[in-house]
């Protein structure tokens, strides 16, 4: 039997994990953030013409929450709503499976990223070590935000680092680039068009720029034009507006300026897309007729680099998942400018254009608001403001405000929620990397990539340590910074390989996977509450750190009540879990809107209570209440 290559083993393993994910995706119930993420996703999908049965139809109705991207959740929600009725699966089960597919894409991405630094065999171990983290595995199904961001971050960096492997890269990158060569190209391109086409293309380009940057003023101007033309229907522009209105109303006479402005805003992105497609078509036809022009273009000669185009598209989709993904593209840009200086400008321009196009097409918020206002408000929310700054966060046996956490909060939780072998190997890997760096003192491409991967982890960690931002739900908002630990764990193994027999190395790798695999199996489906032996395990973390902060256990607890409760029983559910409980309650049961223990008693008609341990609500249970079941 022929020996399987590590790459083939990886894809067989990922296929088996995919099948496992399909089987267990229905076990993950319903979590807190999925409701709001579904609402955002359905608003986004409605901009593509997909009906929205939610009472919220516009981004403006969800206020600050509109600034969280929905590129991945759109796929999950749409797939869930199309397949769940056919398959008969519970709420969100298909969505969970889609989330898990993106996690598996991250597993593959880790493998190819590690291959840049270590052998294929150790890179395969990297993907297994990543996949066997219980914290990741649990979040991979039911976290609609943070794990998709982590996967897209990994894919952005990995694909970006592979751009230079294209066969024609060196030939293109060696050619000199400066402002003079750029101007000479544009002059030859414009002169290749006939005079009327030059004017048409110039107008199209200026219109495109204006539409992208000036949506607010243009919409205001359109509203004034509509108001005037509706008052003067005999005017030629008025006839055009009335004809336009006829597409939407059987009786245009009843249409209002507000309705016309709304219709204009709906077709606004189509103007941008149409102009962009027109200009792209002009360039395509020009280069087909005159191939030498494309070869002389400092930017477009890279357009045959499919890895570059794919990397740009993935970066754009990552931005539409969460804007913090700009850091992933920043790492890619830093590498190329560090390695190639000024010559990196043309390929990075094409990379950025592709990313922007993918970002615009996959985040319909831009279709309602101007691009500049979206970016301004999004980065303001990202850096300075969080509406949950006053919530309680359990940590080290105390309850802190989310905006007043100790400096070591994130560092300690990472040390407690990742498996000990990963932590040990990562520390060893960084130490050995620094030692060999001191000895070799070379700035090779591999060293630059390794350093940037290390900065991917260290810079955000320094930020949350020196000046902790608003954090809650453990450190899930910063899960995206932890994959470099897997990479450096494997870099450490690479250094140890020279000193260990092959059997010993395989033994080390196998034992490193064991704690994670055991925890994934034993905690199912609550892997996301994993704490390692440093915290005394998950039991040791009880009443010390945050555990089931997304109320995942509610479905199992409600199943017990459904089986035990007499008809029409009244059930008290603590704050945060009540909406979840109503999704799973038996139809005859009653769950009032009550969040105070003082108002709950047998005299008030209550027979059962579902108590969440989130924020230690269980500590307020009145004496004398009997525990019937514990999840």
């Amino acid at each position: 039997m022929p020996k399987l290559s590590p790459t083939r083993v990886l894809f067989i393993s990922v296929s088996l994990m995919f099948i496992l994910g399909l089987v267990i995706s229905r076990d993950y119930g319903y979590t807190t953030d999925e409701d709001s993420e579904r609402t955002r996703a359905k608003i986004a999908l409605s901009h593509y013409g997909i009906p929205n049965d939610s009472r919220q139809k516009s981004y403006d109705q969800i206020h600050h929450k509109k600034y969280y991207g929905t590129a991945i959740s759109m796929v999950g929600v749409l797939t869930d709503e199309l397949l769940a009725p056919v398959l008969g699966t519970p709420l969100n089960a298909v969505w969970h499976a889609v989330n898990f597919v993106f996690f598996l894409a991250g597993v593959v991405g880790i493998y190819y990223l590690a291959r840049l630094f270590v052998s294929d065999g150790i890179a395969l171990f990297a993907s297994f070590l990543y996949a066997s983290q219980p914290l990741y595995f649990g979040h991979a199904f039911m976290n609609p935000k943070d794990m998709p961001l982590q996967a897209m971050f990994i894919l952005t960096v990995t694909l970006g680092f592979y751009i230079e492997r294209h066969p024609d890269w060196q030939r293109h990158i060696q050619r000199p680039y400066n402002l003079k060569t750029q101007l000479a190209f544009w002059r030859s391109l414009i002169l290749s068009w006939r005079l009327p086409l030059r004017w048409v293309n110039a107008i199209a380009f200026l219109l495109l720029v204006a539409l992208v940057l000036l949506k607010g003023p243009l919409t205001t101007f359109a509203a004034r034009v509509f108001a005037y033309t509706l008052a003067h229907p005999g005017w030629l522009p008025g006839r055009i507006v009335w004809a336009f209105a006829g597409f939407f109303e059987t009786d245009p006479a009843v249409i209002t300026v507000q309705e016309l402005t709304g219709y204009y805003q709906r077709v606004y992105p189509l103007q941008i897309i149409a102009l962009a497609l027109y200009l792209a078509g002009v360039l395509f036809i020009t280069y087909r007729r005159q191939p030498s022009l494309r070869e002389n273009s400092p930017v477009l000669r890279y357009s045959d680099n499919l890895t570059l185009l794919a990397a740009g598209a993935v970066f754009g989709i990552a931005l539409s998942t969460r804007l913090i993904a700009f850091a992933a593209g920043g790492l890619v840009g830093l590498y190329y400018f560090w390695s190639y200086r000024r010559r990196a400008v043309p390929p990075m321009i094409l990379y950025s254009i592709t990313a922007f196009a993918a970002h615009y097409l996959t985040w319909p918020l831009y279709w309602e608001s101007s691009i500049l206002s979206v970016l301004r408000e999004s980065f303001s929310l990202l850096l300075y403001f969080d509406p949950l700054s006053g919530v309680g966060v359990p940590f080290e046996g105390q309850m802190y405000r989310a905006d007043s956490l100790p400096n070591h909060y994130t560092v300690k939780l990472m040390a407690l929620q990742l498996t000990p072998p990963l932590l040990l190997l990562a520390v060893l890997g960084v130490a050995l990397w620094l030692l060999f760096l001191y000895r070799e003192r070379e700035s090779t491409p591999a060293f630059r990539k390794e350093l940037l991967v290390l900065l991917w982890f260290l810079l955000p960690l320094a930020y949350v340590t020196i000046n902790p931002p608003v954090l809650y739900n453990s450190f899930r908002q910063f899960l995206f910074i932890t994959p470099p630990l897997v990479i450096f764990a494997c870099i450490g193994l690479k250094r140890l390989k020279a000193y260990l027999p092959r059997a010993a190395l395989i033994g080390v790798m196998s034992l490193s996977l064991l704690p994670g695999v055991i925890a994934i199996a034993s905690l199912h489906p609550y892997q996301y509450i994993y704490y390692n032996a440093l915290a005394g395990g998950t039991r040791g973390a009880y009443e010390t750190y945050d555990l089931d902060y997304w109320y995942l256990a509610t479905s199992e607890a409600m199943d017990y009540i459904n089986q035990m409760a007499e008809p029409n029983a009244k059930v008290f559910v603590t704050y945060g879990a009540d909406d979840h409980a109503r999704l799973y309650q038996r139809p005859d049961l009653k769950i009032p809107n009550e969040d105070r223990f003082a108002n709950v008693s047998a005299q008030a008609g209550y027979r059962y209570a579902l108590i969440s341990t989130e924020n230690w609500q269980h500590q307020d249970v009145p004496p004398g209440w009997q525990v019937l079941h514990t999840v």
Side-chain angles (χ1 to χ4, degrees), residues 32 388 391 549 551 554 572-580 594-597 610-615 617:
T32 304
L388 296 178
V391 302
Y549 47 78
Y551 309 102
T554 304
F572 168 64
V573 181
T574 50
Y575 175 78
D578 48 346
D579 287 338
H580 301 63
E594 178 60 69
D595 57 6
R596 296 184 61 190
F597 283 94
L610 191 156
I611 313 297
S612 170
T613 59
E614 168 61 359
N615 287 335
Q617 296 178 82

PDB file of all heavy atoms in Angstrom, residues 32 388 391 549 551 554 572-580 594-597 610-615 617:
ATOM      1  N   THR A  32     -26.737  32.918  22.939  1.00  0.00           N
ATOM      2  CA  THR A  32     -27.210  34.283  23.090  1.00  0.00           C
ATOM      3  C   THR A  32     -27.055  35.120  21.824  1.00  0.00           C
ATOM      4  O   THR A  32     -27.977  35.799  21.394  1.00  0.00           O
ATOM      5  CB  THR A  32     -26.441  34.971  24.241  1.00  0.00           C
ATOM      6  OG1 THR A  32     -26.608  34.191  25.411  1.00  0.00           O
ATOM      7  CG2 THR A  32     -26.959  36.366  24.471  1.00  0.00           C
ATOM      8  N   LEU A 388     -21.723  47.336  26.301  1.00  0.00           N
ATOM      9  CA  LEU A 388     -21.800  46.417  27.431  1.00  0.00           C
ATOM     10  C   LEU A 388     -20.695  46.674  28.455  1.00  0.00           C
ATOM     11  O   LEU A 388     -20.287  45.769  29.184  1.00  0.00           O
ATOM     12  CB  LEU A 388     -21.723  44.969  26.926  1.00  0.00           C
ATOM     13  CG  LEU A 388     -22.887  44.524  26.035  1.00  0.00           C
ATOM     14  CD1 LEU A 388     -22.675  43.097  25.559  1.00  0.00           C
ATOM     15  CD2 LEU A 388     -24.208  44.629  26.767  1.00  0.00           C
ATOM     16  N   VAL A 391     -21.372  45.496  32.201  1.00  0.00           N
ATOM     17  CA  VAL A 391     -21.805  44.154  32.593  1.00  0.00           C
ATOM     18  C   VAL A 391     -20.797  43.523  33.543  1.00  0.00           C
ATOM     19  O   VAL A 391     -19.626  43.884  33.572  1.00  0.00           O
ATOM     20  CB  VAL A 391     -22.014  43.233  31.353  1.00  0.00           C
ATOM     21  CG1 VAL A 391     -23.025  43.829  30.404  1.00  0.00           C
ATOM     22  CG2 VAL A 391     -20.691  42.969  30.640  1.00  0.00           C
ATOM     23  N   TYR A 549     -21.497  31.132  29.558  1.00  0.00           N
ATOM     24  CA  TYR A 549     -21.984  32.502  29.425  1.00  0.00           C
ATOM     25  C   TYR A 549     -22.950  32.693  28.258  1.00  0.00           C
ATOM     26  O   TYR A 549     -23.579  33.740  28.143  1.00  0.00           O
ATOM     27  CB  TYR A 549     -20.802  33.481  29.286  1.00  0.00           C
ATOM     28  CG  TYR A 549     -19.736  33.065  28.298  1.00  0.00           C
ATOM     29  CD1 TYR A 549     -19.903  33.208  26.933  1.00  0.00           C
ATOM     30  CD2 TYR A 549     -18.520  32.537  28.764  1.00  0.00           C
ATOM     31  CE1 TYR A 549     -18.906  32.841  26.037  1.00  0.00           C
ATOM     32  CE2 TYR A 549     -17.520  32.168  27.886  1.00  0.00           C
ATOM     33  CZ  TYR A 549     -17.722  32.325  26.525  1.00  0.00           C
ATOM     34  OH  TYR A 549     -16.732  31.956  25.641  1.00  0.00           O
ATOM     35  N   TYR A 551     -25.431  30.407  27.734  1.00  0.00           N
ATOM     36  CA  TYR A 551     -26.631  29.661  28.134  1.00  0.00           C
ATOM     37  C   TYR A 551     -26.872  28.438  27.243  1.00  0.00           C
ATOM     38  O   TYR A 551     -28.016  28.091  26.939  1.00  0.00           O
ATOM     39  CB  TYR A 551     -27.866  30.572  28.112  1.00  0.00           C
ATOM     40  CG  TYR A 551     -27.672  31.859  28.870  1.00  0.00           C
ATOM     41  CD1 TYR A 551     -27.415  33.062  28.200  1.00  0.00           C
ATOM     42  CD2 TYR A 551     -27.712  31.886  30.255  1.00  0.00           C
ATOM     43  CE1 TYR A 551     -27.222  34.241  28.890  1.00  0.00           C
ATOM     44  CE2 TYR A 551     -27.521  33.065  30.967  1.00  0.00           C
ATOM     45  CZ  TYR A 551     -27.279  34.240  30.278  1.00  0.00           C
ATOM     46  OH  TYR A 551     -27.078  35.409  30.973  1.00  0.00           O
ATOM     47  N   THR A 554     -29.213  25.523  28.414  1.00  0.00           N
ATOM     48  CA  THR A 554     -30.644  25.752  28.593  1.00  0.00           C
ATOM     49  C   THR A 554     -31.492  24.691  27.898  1.00  0.00           C
ATOM     50  O   THR A 554     -32.499  24.234  28.449  1.00  0.00           O
ATOM     51  CB  THR A 554     -31.024  27.148  28.059  1.00  0.00           C
ATOM     52  OG1 THR A 554     -30.230  28.128  28.720  1.00  0.00           O
ATOM     53  CG2 THR A 554     -32.499  27.444  28.312  1.00  0.00           C
ATOM     54  N   PHE A 572     -40.068  29.362  36.344  1.00  0.00           N
ATOM     55  CA  PHE A 572     -39.222  30.550  36.440  1.00  0.00           C
ATOM     56  C   PHE A 572     -37.884  30.275  35.770  1.00  0.00           C
ATOM     57  O   PHE A 572     -37.265  29.234  36.016  1.00  0.00           O
ATOM     58  CB  PHE A 572     -39.000  30.921  37.910  1.00  0.00           C
ATOM     59  CG  PHE A 572     -37.920  31.940  38.126  1.00  0.00           C
ATOM     60  CD1 PHE A 572     -38.049  33.232  37.635  1.00  0.00           C
ATOM     61  CD2 PHE A 572     -36.755  31.616  38.828  1.00  0.00           C
ATOM     62  CE1 PHE A 572     -37.052  34.181  37.841  1.00  0.00           C
ATOM     63  CE2 PHE A 572     -35.756  32.554  39.044  1.00  0.00           C
ATOM     64  CZ  PHE A 572     -35.909  33.841  38.543  1.00  0.00           C
ATOM     65  N   VAL A 573     -37.417  31.199  34.915  1.00  0.00           N
ATOM     66  CA  VAL A 573     -36.116  31.068  34.253  1.00  0.00           C
ATOM     67  C   VAL A 573     -35.321  32.335  34.513  1.00  0.00           C
ATOM     68  O   VAL A 573     -35.827  33.448  34.307  1.00  0.00           O
ATOM     69  CB  VAL A 573     -36.269  30.843  32.731  1.00  0.00           C
ATOM     70  CG1 VAL A 573     -34.899  30.686  32.074  1.00  0.00           C
ATOM     71  CG2 VAL A 573     -37.139  29.625  32.455  1.00  0.00           C
ATOM     72  N   THR A 574     -34.095  32.200  34.973  1.00  0.00           N
ATOM     73  CA  THR A 574     -33.277  33.364  35.302  1.00  0.00           C
ATOM     74  C   THR A 574     -32.959  34.189  34.061  1.00  0.00           C
ATOM     75  O   THR A 574     -32.989  33.708  32.924  1.00  0.00           O
ATOM     76  CB  THR A 574     -31.964  32.942  35.974  1.00  0.00           C
ATOM     77  OG1 THR A 574     -31.334  31.929  35.195  1.00  0.00           O
ATOM     78  CG2 THR A 574     -32.212  32.438  37.370  1.00  0.00           C
ATOM     79  N   TYR A 575     -32.609  35.441  34.312  1.00  0.00           N
ATOM     80  CA  TYR A 575     -32.347  36.404  33.246  1.00  0.00           C
ATOM     81  C   TYR A 575     -31.257  35.900  32.300  1.00  0.00           C
ATOM     82  O   TYR A 575     -30.228  35.386  32.727  1.00  0.00           O
ATOM     83  CB  TYR A 575     -31.919  37.747  33.854  1.00  0.00           C
ATOM     84  CG  TYR A 575     -31.518  38.768  32.825  1.00  0.00           C
ATOM     85  CD1 TYR A 575     -32.474  39.460  32.098  1.00  0.00           C
ATOM     86  CD2 TYR A 575     -30.171  39.024  32.571  1.00  0.00           C
ATOM     87  CE1 TYR A 575     -32.111  40.395  31.150  1.00  0.00           C
ATOM     88  CE2 TYR A 575     -29.797  39.958  31.622  1.00  0.00           C
ATOM     89  CZ  TYR A 575     -30.770  40.642  30.914  1.00  0.00           C
ATOM     90  OH  TYR A 575     -30.393  41.550  29.965  1.00  0.00           O
ATOM     91  N   GLY A 576     -31.481  36.074  31.010  1.00  0.00           N
ATOM     92  CA  GLY A 576     -30.512  35.676  29.991  1.00  0.00           C
ATOM     93  C   GLY A 576     -30.842  34.358  29.343  1.00  0.00           C
ATOM     94  O   GLY A 576     -30.598  34.174  28.148  1.00  0.00           O
ATOM     95  N   ALA A 577     -31.414  33.430  30.139  1.00  0.00           N
ATOM     96  CA  ALA A 577     -31.752  32.117  29.597  1.00  0.00           C
ATOM     97  C   ALA A 577     -33.236  32.006  29.233  1.00  0.00           C
ATOM     98  O   ALA A 577     -33.654  30.998  28.664  1.00  0.00           O
ATOM     99  CB  ALA A 577     -31.395  31.030  30.610  1.00  0.00           C
ATOM    100  N   ASP A 578     -34.031  33.034  29.567  1.00  0.00           N
ATOM    101  CA  ASP A 578     -35.480  32.919  29.399  1.00  0.00           C
ATOM    102  C   ASP A 578     -35.891  32.808  27.934  1.00  0.00           C
ATOM    103  O   ASP A 578     -36.763  32.005  27.574  1.00  0.00           O
ATOM    104  CB  ASP A 578     -36.205  34.078  30.083  1.00  0.00           C
ATOM    105  CG  ASP A 578     -35.596  35.438  29.746  1.00  0.00           C
ATOM    106  OD1 ASP A 578     -34.477  35.471  29.201  1.00  0.00           O
ATOM    107  OD2 ASP A 578     -36.232  36.462  30.044  1.00  0.00           O
ATOM    108  N   ASP A 579     -35.268  33.606  27.059  1.00  0.00           N
ATOM    109  CA  ASP A 579     -35.611  33.504  25.628  1.00  0.00           C
ATOM    110  C   ASP A 579     -35.245  32.138  25.067  1.00  0.00           C
ATOM    111  O   ASP A 579     -35.981  31.576  24.245  1.00  0.00           O
ATOM    112  CB  ASP A 579     -34.902  34.601  24.832  1.00  0.00           C
ATOM    113  CG  ASP A 579     -35.510  35.972  25.080  1.00  0.00           C
ATOM    114  OD1 ASP A 579     -36.683  36.028  25.505  1.00  0.00           O
ATOM    115  OD2 ASP A 579     -34.816  36.984  24.873  1.00  0.00           O
ATOM    116  N   HIS A 580     -34.122  31.602  25.507  1.00  0.00           N
ATOM    117  CA  HIS A 580     -33.713  30.274  25.059  1.00  0.00           C
ATOM    118  C   HIS A 580     -34.724  29.224  25.519  1.00  0.00           C
ATOM    119  O   HIS A 580     -35.102  28.326  24.775  1.00  0.00           O
ATOM    120  CB  HIS A 580     -32.336  29.903  25.629  1.00  0.00           C
ATOM    121  CG  HIS A 580     -31.243  30.845  25.250  1.00  0.00           C
ATOM    122  ND1 HIS A 580     -31.234  32.151  25.630  1.00  0.00           N
ATOM    123  CD2 HIS A 580     -30.109  30.650  24.525  1.00  0.00           C
ATOM    124  CE1 HIS A 580     -30.147  32.736  25.160  1.00  0.00           C
ATOM    125  NE2 HIS A 580     -29.445  31.851  24.490  1.00  0.00           N
ATOM    126  N   GLU A 594     -39.960  37.310  34.393  1.00  0.00           N
ATOM    127  CA  GLU A 594     -39.652  37.594  35.797  1.00  0.00           C
ATOM    128  C   GLU A 594     -38.171  37.335  36.031  1.00  0.00           C
ATOM    129  O   GLU A 594     -37.641  36.289  35.658  1.00  0.00           O
ATOM    130  CB  GLU A 594     -40.478  36.693  36.709  1.00  0.00           C
ATOM    131  CG  GLU A 594     -40.200  36.871  38.181  1.00  0.00           C
ATOM    132  CD  GLU A 594     -40.483  38.297  38.650  1.00  0.00           C
ATOM    133  OE1 GLU A 594     -41.669  38.682  38.674  1.00  0.00           O
ATOM    134  OE2 GLU A 594     -39.509  39.008  38.963  1.00  0.00           O
ATOM    135  N   ASP A 595     -37.468  38.315  36.629  1.00  0.00           N
ATOM    136  CA  ASP A 595     -36.038  38.110  36.865  1.00  0.00           C
ATOM    137  C   ASP A 595     -35.645  38.326  38.325  1.00  0.00           C
ATOM    138  O   ASP A 595     -34.472  38.482  38.648  1.00  0.00           O
ATOM    139  CB  ASP A 595     -35.205  39.033  35.967  1.00  0.00           C
ATOM    140  CG  ASP A 595     -35.546  40.510  36.162  1.00  0.00           C
ATOM    141  OD1 ASP A 595     -36.347  40.809  37.064  1.00  0.00           O
ATOM    142  OD2 ASP A 595     -34.993  41.334  35.413  1.00  0.00           O
ATOM    143  N   ARG A 596     -36.634  38.306  39.227  1.00  0.00           N
ATOM    144  CA  ARG A 596     -36.335  38.492  40.654  1.00  0.00           C
ATOM    145  C   ARG A 596     -36.781  37.267  41.437  1.00  0.00           C
ATOM    146  O   ARG A 596     -37.937  36.848  41.374  1.00  0.00           O
ATOM    147  CB  ARG A 596     -37.040  39.739  41.189  1.00  0.00           C
ATOM    148  CG  ARG A 596     -36.567  41.039  40.544  1.00  0.00           C
ATOM    149  CD  ARG A 596     -37.240  42.227  41.182  1.00  0.00           C
ATOM    150  NE  ARG A 596     -36.917  42.313  42.617  1.00  0.00           N
ATOM    151  CZ  ARG A 596     -37.532  43.149  43.458  1.00  0.00           C
ATOM    152  NH1 ARG A 596     -38.487  43.961  43.018  1.00  0.00           N
ATOM    153  NH2 ARG A 596     -37.206  43.175  44.741  1.00  0.00           N
ATOM    154  N   PHE A 597     -35.843  36.700  42.183  1.00  0.00           N
ATOM    155  CA  PHE A 597     -36.159  35.531  42.997  1.00  0.00           C
ATOM    156  C   PHE A 597     -37.241  35.843  44.038  1.00  0.00           C
ATOM    157  O   PHE A 597     -38.034  34.977  44.409  1.00  0.00           O
ATOM    158  CB  PHE A 597     -34.896  35.028  43.707  1.00  0.00           C
ATOM    159  CG  PHE A 597     -33.971  34.256  42.819  1.00  0.00           C
ATOM    160  CD1 PHE A 597     -32.912  34.881  42.176  1.00  0.00           C
ATOM    161  CD2 PHE A 597     -34.154  32.894  42.611  1.00  0.00           C
ATOM    162  CE1 PHE A 597     -32.047  34.170  41.360  1.00  0.00           C
ATOM    163  CE2 PHE A 597     -33.295  32.184  41.793  1.00  0.00           C
ATOM    164  CZ  PHE A 597     -32.246  32.818  41.166  1.00  0.00           C
ATOM    165  N   LEU A 610     -35.541  27.208  36.324  1.00  0.00           N
ATOM    166  CA  LEU A 610     -34.328  26.895  35.568  1.00  0.00           C
ATOM    167  C   LEU A 610     -33.320  27.990  35.906  1.00  0.00           C
ATOM    168  O   LEU A 610     -33.524  29.159  35.559  1.00  0.00           O
ATOM    169  CB  LEU A 610     -34.633  26.852  34.067  1.00  0.00           C
ATOM    170  CG  LEU A 610     -33.545  26.300  33.141  1.00  0.00           C
ATOM    171  CD1 LEU A 610     -34.164  25.775  31.844  1.00  0.00           C
ATOM    172  CD2 LEU A 610     -32.513  27.365  32.795  1.00  0.00           C
ATOM    173  N   ILE A 611     -32.242  27.618  36.574  1.00  0.00           N
ATOM    174  CA  ILE A 611     -31.289  28.598  37.109  1.00  0.00           C
ATOM    175  C   ILE A 611     -29.968  28.496  36.354  1.00  0.00           C
ATOM    176  O   ILE A 611     -29.316  27.453  36.363  1.00  0.00           O
ATOM    177  CB  ILE A 611     -31.023  28.362  38.619  1.00  0.00           C
ATOM    178  CG1 ILE A 611     -32.330  28.160  39.371  1.00  0.00           C
ATOM    179  CG2 ILE A 611     -30.210  29.505  39.193  1.00  0.00           C
ATOM    180  CD1 ILE A 611     -33.255  29.332  39.356  1.00  0.00           C
ATOM    181  N   SER A 612     -29.569  29.592  35.732  1.00  0.00           N
ATOM    182  CA  SER A 612     -28.266  29.628  35.057  1.00  0.00           C
ATOM    183  C   SER A 612     -27.180  30.030  36.055  1.00  0.00           C
ATOM    184  O   SER A 612     -27.428  30.819  36.976  1.00  0.00           O
ATOM    185  CB  SER A 612     -28.303  30.627  33.902  1.00  0.00           C
ATOM    186  OG  SER A 612     -27.008  30.856  33.392  1.00  0.00           O
ATOM    187  N   THR A 613     -25.998  29.493  35.853  1.00  0.00           N
ATOM    188  CA  THR A 613     -24.864  29.894  36.692  1.00  0.00           C
ATOM    189  C   THR A 613     -24.154  31.127  36.148  1.00  0.00           C
ATOM    190  O   THR A 613     -23.194  31.610  36.759  1.00  0.00           O
ATOM    191  CB  THR A 613     -23.834  28.751  36.798  1.00  0.00           C
ATOM    192  OG1 THR A 613     -23.361  28.415  35.487  1.00  0.00           O
ATOM    193  CG2 THR A 613     -24.455  27.523  37.435  1.00  0.00           C
ATOM    194  N   GLU A 614     -24.588  31.648  34.995  1.00  0.00           N
ATOM    195  CA  GLU A 614     -23.956  32.842  34.437  1.00  0.00           C
ATOM    196  C   GLU A 614     -24.069  33.993  35.433  1.00  0.00           C
ATOM    197  O   GLU A 614     -25.133  34.274  35.992  1.00  0.00           O
ATOM    198  CB  GLU A 614     -24.616  33.207  33.103  1.00  0.00           C
ATOM    199  CG  GLU A 614     -24.261  34.568  32.544  1.00  0.00           C
ATOM    200  CD  GLU A 614     -22.775  34.741  32.240  1.00  0.00           C
ATOM    201  OE1 GLU A 614     -21.975  33.822  32.477  1.00  0.00           O
ATOM    202  OE2 GLU A 614     -22.417  35.819  31.745  1.00  0.00           O
ATOM    203  N   ASN A 615     -22.949  34.704  35.622  1.00  0.00           N
ATOM    204  CA  ASN A 615     -22.865  35.780  36.619  1.00  0.00           C
ATOM    205  C   ASN A 615     -23.277  35.293  38.006  1.00  0.00           C
ATOM    206  O   ASN A 615     -23.720  36.089  38.843  1.00  0.00           O
ATOM    207  CB  ASN A 615     -23.702  36.986  36.200  1.00  0.00           C
ATOM    208  CG  ASN A 615     -23.057  37.755  35.069  1.00  0.00           C
ATOM    209  OD1 ASN A 615     -21.842  37.708  34.881  1.00  0.00           O
ATOM    210  ND2 ASN A 615     -23.857  38.444  34.281  1.00  0.00           N
ATOM    211  N   GLN A 617     -25.769  33.587  39.135  1.00  0.00           N
ATOM    212  CA  GLN A 617     -27.159  33.812  39.549  1.00  0.00           C
ATOM    213  C   GLN A 617     -27.647  32.723  40.502  1.00  0.00           C
ATOM    214  O   GLN A 617     -28.555  32.945  41.308  1.00  0.00           O
ATOM    215  CB  GLN A 617     -28.068  33.864  38.315  1.00  0.00           C
ATOM    216  CG  GLN A 617     -27.772  35.036  37.387  1.00  0.00           C
ATOM    217  CD  GLN A 617     -28.660  35.018  36.154  1.00  0.00           C
ATOM    218  OE1 GLN A 617     -29.802  35.455  36.190  1.00  0.00           O
ATOM    219  NE2 GLN A 617     -28.139  34.510  35.056  1.00  0.00           N
TER     220      GLN A 617
END
